[in-house]
Amino acid sequence: QVQLVESGGGLVQSGGSLTLSCEGAGFALDSFAIGWFRQDLGKEREREGVAYISASGAVTYVTASVKGRFAVSRDYAANSVLLRMNNLKPEDTGIYYCAASESATGINLDSFRDGFWGQGTQVTVSS
């Protein structure tokens, strides 16, 4: 069974750190570009792109609001992609999803709609 599994979410105080993991089960994750998306809790909003890493790992991108605080990387041995989040702020709170796409070239939700999605992991940052 092919699926993405996110982990690493939790409750943290403002200024704290978390590392989210997106693990590929049943397929090689390094054949896919990976995007991380955040959805605000309790709101009917589209998921917002947070970070992107290309299949090769050569291209990475994080959205402006997290630049300098978040970093995305691949852990090839674990068949996973990590999102390291430092200096967390209350506005970073939400459900974080990872998605895999063979064709996505950036952190555009539309380019990941036909890809694989994980179940999400919740991040809560208290002030």
Side-chain angles (χ1 to χ4, degrees), residues 94-109:
I95 301 174
Y96 284 72
Y97 298 88
C98 67
S101 167
E102 291 184 298
S103 59
T105 57
I107 194 61
N108 183 299
L109 180 61

Side-chain angles (χ1 to χ4, degrees), residues 76-96:
Y76 292 98
N79 195 34
S80 65
V81 168
L82 304 178
L83 181 65
R84 291 184 173 86
M85 307 186 296
N86 297 317
N87 191 21
L88 283 160
K89 303 177 180 181
E91 53 263 41
D92 296 320
T93 293
I95 301 174
Y96 284 72

Side-chain angles (χ1 to χ4, degrees), residues 9-13 18 41 88-90 92-94 122-126:
L11 173 64
V12 64
Q13 289 187 330
L18 286 173
L41 299 175
L88 283 160
K89 303 177 180 181
D92 296 320
T93 293
Q122 183 168 326
V123 171
T124 303
V125 184
S126 63

Side-chain angles (χ1 to χ4, degrees), residues 39-45 94-95:
Q39 186 165 24
D40 289 345
L41 299 175
K43 296 182 179 179
E44 292 297 323
R45 289 185 181 176
I95 301 174

